[in-house]
Amino acid sequence: MIRNYFKIAWRNLLRNKAFSAINIVGLALGVAACILILQYVAFELSYDSFHKNGAQIYRVKQDRYNDGKLSTQWAAGAYAVGNSFKDAFPEVQDYVKLLARGKSLLDYGDRSIKLEKYYLASSSFFTMFSYPLIIGNPKTALNESNTIVLSESVAKRLFGNENPLGKTVRGNKRRPLKVTGVYKDMPANTHLKAEMLVSYATFQADVKPNDPETAWQWDGCLTYIKLRPGTDTKSLEAKFPALIDKLAGADHKKYKSAAVYLLQPLKDIHLYSHLMMEAEPNGDGKTVYLLLGIAFFIVVIAWVNYINLATARAVNRAKEVGVRKAVGSLRGQLIGQFMTESVLLNGFAVVLALILVGLALPKFNEISGQQLSFALLKSKIFWIPFTALFVIGAFLSGLYPAFVLSGFKPVAVLKGKVLATRQGIVLRKSLVVFQFAASLFLLVGTLAVYQQIRFMRAQSLGINIDQTLVINPPIVADDSTYMRQLAAFKDELLRKSNIEGVTASTVVPGQASDWNAGGIRLKGTDEAVGKQYRVIGVDYDFLKTYDLKLIAGRNFSKEFGSDPKAVVFNKMAIQQLGFSNPEDAIGKEIDFWGEIFTIVGVTDNFHQQSLRDAYEPLILRLIPDLRGYFSVKLTGGEAGSIIGTIREEWNKFFPGNPFEYEYLDDRFNAQYKADQRFGQVFGIFTGLAILVACLGLFGLASFTTAQRTKEIGIRKVLGSSVFAIVEMLYREFVVLVAISFVIATPLAWYAVSQWLDGYAFKTDLQWWLFLVPFTAVLVIALLTVSFQSIKAALTNPVTSLRSE
C-alpha cells in the first residue's frame, strides 16, 4: 500500500510539473533560509556549552552605585571578590581570577611573535574550565609566578616541533617566563579567547607590598566562581551585601558609594551581557531570537503556499477522489495518499535546500561574520530542530489539504457538482494575507535598520576623525628615554608637509574608556559628594588635533607650568559636578584621588563611542609622557608614501615594536558593523520571504485565472475591455495586500520602536518607512499576477468559451 502511495504521488508530481516546481522551490528556499538561520542560532547558543561544569560556573558582575543611584555596571569587579567569597560561603567550591591584557611580544631564541590578547589567570583556571591541556599539569601549571601556558598555535609558531615544557621565553623583551603547559586553542564559541595565560601569581609579585586579595577599591578583575550542585543562586546573592559591608563598608560609606555583586550564568554571558570591561564584544540574544522568528516566518510562508495551492487544486482532483471512493477506498487511505505526496514533496525540498545551503554558506559567513560549516550538522542542537522542522512541515502542510480532498462525496463529484466552498476561499485569502503581512513586517524592519545606521553615520560626532591615522601603542619602550623618544617622533612627523597634527591618548574615538574614576569632587567639599567619571589621558595636542570645540576656558599649553595638573571636562561632566554654566567651572580645583587638579577648559559634548551610547561625563587629563595610541592627522597626498614615511620614523624611534595602524574613520565605523551585518541578514531573508510568497501567489493566480476562463470569455463577448478584465483580476489581490498592510503596520511600528529604544540617539519613525514597503509589496504582487491576468484578458473569447 505504501509503495502504491509513493507511486501515485510521483505520478502526480510529474503530471503537474508547474505546481510541483513552485511548491518544491518555495519550500526549498524556506527550508534553506531556515537551515542557515538555525546554524547561526545554534552556534550563538552553543557559546561556553562545552565546559563540563558549565551549569555550576557563574561570573560575578559588579554594579557600582553613587549616592544610591546606579552609576556603572562592570563585568570585571574588585580583586578581592573571588577569595573572599570562597572563604565566607561554603556554597562556593572554587574561583578563578582573570586580568585581561592587550598586545604583547614573545621571544624565544631568534624567534619573536606578536600576540593580540592574553590573560593573567589564577591557579584553578584549567580545573574549573574545560580548556584541555595538551602538555602540563592542569592543577599546577599556573601556581608559580613568572610562569606561562601557551596555546597550541602559539607554541607551534614559537617552538616548532620542539617540546616547550620547561623552556624560558621573554615577554616584551624584558621578563623571563617559564613555559609550564600548552593548551588546545580556545574554540570560536567561547567568550574567553587568549593566546597565552600568565600566572596571576606574577601580578601578585609585581604589586607587592600591596595585596590584591584584600583590594575592594581596585576594579578590573574578572571573577568566576564554581558553585556546589544544588546551590540556590538567589539565596547566595542575598548573603553578599553583609560580607561586602563587613569588608569594604567603611570605604563605601565614606564615599556614599556601594558595590553590589550579582551572579551571571556562564552560558548567558555571550548573548545577554554588555557591561564595562567585557572579555570581548558579545552577541545579542534579541537579535538571535529575532532571526529565529524570521526563519519561522519564511518556512511558514512556504508551507502556506503548499496549503493554498493544494486546496485550490482540490476541484481538479475531485473526480480522482470520487473514483477512488467509488471503488472502495477509505477516507483514511486517501488521507495517507495525500500525506505521502506532502512527505515526498517536502523531502525533495529538503534535498534541494541542503544543496542551496552548501552554495550559500560561504557568502552567508561573509555577511554574518561567523565561520559556520556543515560540521555543525553533527550537533544535536541543530538536528533536533531541523528534524522537527521537516516532520512538522510535512505533517501540517499536508494535513489540511488531505482532509479537504478526502472529504469529497463520490456521488457529488462524479456528477461534477463540486464547487469551491466559501470556507475554502476565505482560508486561502487569509493565508495570502498572512504571507504578505509577514513580508511587510520584515520589510519595514529592514528599512528601519538601514535608516538607523544611516542616521548614526550622518550625525556630527563633535570630534573630527577624518584623515586620521591611528598607530597602536608601543609594546616595548625604555621608561627612562620614552619622553625624549616621544617628543622626537612627534617633531619628525610634524616636519612632513602632509602631516598637520600628532597626538597621543589612552584611547581614541570609537573606544570605550576603561579608566573609570570614582570619588572625584570639588576641592574642599565632603568626600561623600564624589561622583564617577570616565577619564581619557591625553597630551598637549589632543584637542587641537581632533578639533574639539571649547565652550569655555582654554586648551592645555606648555606655556603654563602648572598644566601637568590641569584637566578639561566635557559639558556633561561639568553638569555632574554641579555647574549649569561652563564658565563658572573654569579655574575650579578638583580632588582626583588625593591629587589636586585645576579645570582649565570645557568642551562641548562629543561622541567618544557610537550613537548607540549616550554622552558620558568625560575628563581629559593631561599626561605629557603618555604611552598610548598615536593619532596622526593627514592633509592628503599618496597614502602609501605617507604611511611608508611614518613607518620609517616609527622604526627609528621605537625599534622592536610592530608598526600597526588603521584609519580612524574605519575603526569608528566598525562599531556599526554588527548593526550593518544584522541589517544585511535581515534584508536577505526578507527578500527570500517575499520571493517565496510571490511564488505561491503566482501559482494561485494561475489557478484562479484558469478557473475563471469561461467568465472572462463571457465578459469579453459582452464588451469588457482588456483593461477592465485585468482590473477585475487585480482587484482581489490589491484588497488582500491592503488588509495585510493594516495588520502589519501596528505590529511593525511596535517592534521597531522597541528595537530603537536600545539606541541613545535614534531616528524618527517616519510615514514612508511603512508606505514604501506597502507600495513595493503591492507592485511586486501585481507584477506577479500580471502575466497570467493579461494573458487571460487577451485570450480570444471563442477559445475561452470552447473550454468545455
Side-chain angles (χ1 to χ4, degrees):
M1 181 65 74
I2 293 176
R3 181 181 176 185
N4 179 259
Y5 286 165
F6 276 101
K7 185 184 292 185
I8 299 301
W10 176 249
R11 288 174 180 171
N12 270 313
L13 288 180
L14 293 179
R15 186 180 302 118
N16 302 284
K17 294 183 180 65
F19 287 99
S20 299
I22 288 171
N23 269 323
I24 290 173
V25 171
L27 282 169
L29 288 173
V31 172
C34 207
I35 291 174
L36 286 172
I37 295 177
L38 281 177
Q39 287 215 79
Y40 175 84
V41 170
F43 178 78
E44 290 290 296
L45 294 178
S46 72
Y47 261 70
D48 294 307
S49 61
F50 57 86
H51 295 289
K52 182 181 176 182
N53 300 308
Q56 297 168 245
I57 300 174
Y58 293 79
R59 187 174 70 183
V60 185
K61 81 161 189 166
Q62 175 185 261
D63 290 352
R64 282 277 182 183
Y65 286 81
N66 267 120
D67 206 14
K69 295 180 180 179
L70 181 64
S71 58
T72 52
Q73 293 184 296
W74 297 71
Y79 284 65
V81 169
N83 51 287
S84 300
F85 283 9
K86 172 72 164 59
D87 293 341
F89 306 120
E91 297 95 328
V92 179
Q93 192 170 337
D94 206 351
Y95 69 91
V96 166
K97 297 183 181 185
L98 294 174
L99 303 180
R101 295 293 185 262
K103 299 178 187 297
S104 176
L105 293 175
L106 212 56
D107 295 324
Y108 176 70
D110 59 351
R111 295 176 188 166
S112 180
I113 62 174
K114 182 178 71 67
L115 306 181
E116 294 297 322
K117 187 173 185 179
Y118 71 96
Y119 287 99
L120 293 155
S122 58
S123 57
S124 297
F125 184 86
F126 288 107
T127 55
M128 182 183 291
F129 296 113
S130 300
Y131 301 110
L133 268 179
I134 302 170
I135 302 173
N137 187 334
K139 295 181 180 179
T140 61
L142 292 167
N143 281 359
E144 300 176 5
S145 64
N146 294 319
T147 56
I148 184 174
V149 183
L150 304 174
S151 69
E152 185 178 15
S153 59
V154 167
K156 188 73 174 175
R157 288 165 59 197
L158 203 57
F159 293 97
N161 296 323
E162 188 179 350
N163 185 353
L165 199 64
K167 300 290 192 303
T168 298
V169 299
R170 196 165 291 276
N172 292 341
K173 308 291 184 183
R174 293 193 301 269
R175 181 188 289 274
L177 297 165
K178 179 183 175 183
V179 179
T180 54
V182 175
Y183 59 89
K184 197 171 184 65
D185 287 356
M186 293 180 176
N189 60 336
T190 178
H191 79 286
L192 293 174
K193 297 181 179 70
E195 295 175 287
M196 71 174 181
L197 299 170
V198 178
S199 65
Y200 182 78
T202 306
F203 167 75
Q204 289 178 291
D206 285 348
V207 297
K208 282 182 178 179
N210 295 312
D211 184 10
E213 302 301 277
T214 60
W216 287 98
Q217 294 302 319
W218 292 7
D219 288 332
C221 181
L222 291 163
T223 302
Y224 298 80
I225 61 175
K226 179 184 175 185
L227 302 182
R228 299 188 186 281
T231 298
D232 184 338
T233 55
K234 292 300 178 186
S235 298
L236 179 60
E237 283 180 343
K239 299 178 184 179
F240 292 165
L243 178 69
I244 306 306
D245 190 56
K246 176 183 174 183
L247 299 177
D251 280 341
H252 290 168
K253 289 173 184 174
K254 179 180 177 182
Y255 296 110
K256 280 194 178 179
S257 66
V260 174
Y261 294 95
L262 302 168
L263 299 178
Q264 289 182 303
L266 181 66
K267 61 181 177 58
D268 288 351
I269 291 174
H270 176 66
L271 290 181
Y272 302 105
S273 186
H274 305 280
L275 309 174
M276 293 181 67
M277 294 193 73
E278 288 286 356
E280 68 172 13
N282 286 324
D284 186 345
K286 288 181 180 178
T287 298
V288 167
Y289 286 106
L290 183 57
L291 287 175
L292 197 58
I294 294 173
F296 172 76
F297 271 140
I298 294 174
V299 81
V300 168
I301 287 171
W303 290 339
V304 164
N305 283 348
Y306 180 85
I307 294 171
N308 251 346
L309 292 177
T311 53
R313 290 180 58 241
V315 176
N316 286 1
R317 300 195 67 177
K319 288 186 179 179
E320 175 193 342
V321 172
V323 171
R324 281 174 172 273
K325 282 194 169 185
V327 297
S329 286
L330 301 176
R331 187 174 189 186
Q333 293 173 321
L334 290 170
I335 290 173
Q337 171 64 57
F338 296 124
M339 288 299 294
T340 301
E341 291 183 19
S342 177
V343 169
L344 186 63
L345 194 139
N346 274 271
F348 282 130
V350 166
V351 172
L352 179 57
L354 290 172
I355 295 171
L356 292 174
V357 168
L359 296 173
L361 201 55
K363 189 64 179 177
F364 182 74
N365 283 339
E366 181 184 326
I367 294 170
S368 68
Q370 301 288 12
Q371 291 302 314
L372 306 177
S373 69
F374 276 104
L376 196 62
L377 299 184
K378 299 175 184 176
S379 169
K380 265 192 319 185
I381 203 170
F382 171 80
W383 276 110
I384 291 173
F386 177 72
T387 303
L389 181 74
F390 172 72
V391 173
I392 294 171
F395 181 75
L396 289 183
S397 62
L399 189 63
Y400 180 77
F403 271 95
V404 170
L405 293 168
S406 63
F408 290 146
K409 295 179 181 179
V411 175
V413 297
L414 291 175
K415 288 182 177 180
K417 293 182 179 180
V418 174
L419 297 173
T421 64
R422 177 179 175 81
Q423 292 85 349
I425 293 170
V426 169
L427 175 69
R428 286 195 294 278
K429 289 182 177 180
S430 300
L431 293 175
V432 170
V433 167
F434 167 80
Q435 286 182 311
F436 282 101
S439 300
L440 281 166
F441 179 88
L442 296 176
L443 198 51
V444 170
T446 301
L447 284 179
V449 171
Y450 280 105
Q451 176 67 6
Q452 175 62 16
I453 295 170
R454 183 170 170 271
F455 168 81
M456 291 190 294
R457 297 187 68 169
Q459 297 304 298
S460 171
L461 299 176
I463 188 168
N464 183 4
I465 65 173
D466 296 335
Q467 291 288 335
T468 305
L469 197 73
V470 173
I471 308 170
N472 286 339
I475 299 171
V476 182
D478 187 338
D479 292 339
S480 62
T481 62
Y482 179 74
M483 188 66 183
R484 290 196 301 273
Q485 288 175 300
L486 173 62
F489 175 66
K490 291 177 65 175
D491 288 343
E492 283 298 322
L493 291 188
L494 289 171
R495 288 193 182 99
K496 314 301 179 187
S497 60
N498 41 20
I499 295 176
E500 67 175 27
V502 183
T503 186
S505 56
T506 52
V507 293
V508 295
Q511 279 182 296
S513 175
D514 287 333
W515 187 355
N516 184 72
I520 294 178
R521 56 194 170 83
L522 286 170
K523 179 184 175 183
T525 58
D526 191 277
E527 292 176 339
V529 301
K531 296 288 194 301
Q532 294 194 53
Y533 296 80
R534 307 292 176 274
V535 184
I536 301 176
V538 301
D539 66 6
Y540 287 100
D541 303 308
F542 186 83
L543 277 75
K544 178 184 175 183
T545 303
Y546 278 112
D547 294 335
L548 279 173
K549 180 183 177 184
L550 279 168
I551 56 176
R554 62 173 176 83
N555 191 2
F556 300 116
S557 174
K558 294 177 183 178
E559 296 177 7
F560 294 83
S562 62
D563 262 11
K565 290 291 184 179
V567 289
V568 171
F569 278 44
N570 74 345
K571 186 178 179 181
M572 177 160 280
I574 286 296
Q575 291 170 347
Q576 182 168 282
L577 199 61
F579 296 98
S580 56
N581 182 4
E583 293 286 351
D584 296 340
I586 301 303
K588 296 294 189 294
E589 293 181 319
I590 63 165
D591 188 317
F592 192 132
W593 293 350
E595 292 186 79
I596 304 302
F597 289 80
T598 302
I599 301 172
V600 300
V602 179
T603 73
D604 203 355
N605 291 327
F606 62 92
H607 292 284
Q608 173 63 24
Q609 294 175 258
S610 79
L611 275 75
R612 178 186 286 271
D613 304 302
Y615 292 126
E616 290 186 314
L618 286 173
I619 297 176
L620 304 180
R621 176 169 160 176
L622 179 64
I623 307 176
D625 59 346
L626 177 68
R627 186 180 300 180
Y629 293 89
F630 292 100
S631 301
V632 182
K633 186 71 71 173
L634 309 176
T635 59
E638 183 62 39
S641 63
I642 297 172
I643 292 169
T645 299
I646 298 172
R647 187 194 303 272
E648 287 176 12
E649 298 298 334
W650 175 269
N651 291 334
K652 182 166 67 175
F653 290 103
F654 302 107
N657 285 280
F659 178 72
E660 298 176 318
Y661 69 91
E662 58 187 321
Y663 284 100
L664 184 55
D665 53 354
D666 292 337
R667 186 185 191 124
F668 195 93
N669 289 330
Q671 296 177 99
Y672 303 126
K673 190 173 289 182
D675 292 316
Q676 289 172 316
R677 283 173 172 167
F678 175 59
Q680 286 180 302
V681 171
F682 206 112
I684 288 169
F685 289 115
T686 297
L688 279 175
I690 294 171
L691 176 59
V692 172
C694 287
L695 279 173
L697 189 61
F698 178 81
L700 192 60
S702 300
F703 182 79
T704 303
T705 304
Q707 291 294 302
R708 302 180 73 172
T709 300
K710 191 171 183 179
E711 176 192 346
I712 291 169
I714 294 172
R715 285 178 178 272
K716 289 194 75 173
V717 169
L718 295 176
S720 286
S721 65
V722 171
F723 177 80
I725 293 172
V726 171
E727 182 187 10
M728 174 196 72
L729 295 172
Y730 275 174
R731 191 180 302 123
E732 178 181 347
F733 296 106
V734 170
V735 170
L736 295 180
V737 175
I739 295 171
S740 302
F741 175 74
V742 171
I743 294 171
T745 297
L747 296 175
W749 179 87
Y750 176 78
V752 171
S753 297
Q754 291 294 307
W755 179 73
L756 287 174
D757 282 344
Y759 293 84
F761 299 87
K762 56 191 177 184
T763 186
D764 295 325
L765 278 177
Q766 298 169 325
W767 58 268
W768 63 264
L769 278 174
F770 301 92
L771 186 60
V772 169
F774 168 70
T775 305
V777 169
L778 180 61
V779 169
I780 291 169
L782 294 181
L783 288 175
T784 301
V785 301
S786 288
F787 176 77
Q788 294 296 334
S789 300
I790 295 172
K791 180 182 175 183
L794 292 173
T795 301
N796 191 320
V798 175
T799 305
S800 304
L801 295 173
R802 196 184 290 160
S803 62
E804 294 187 4

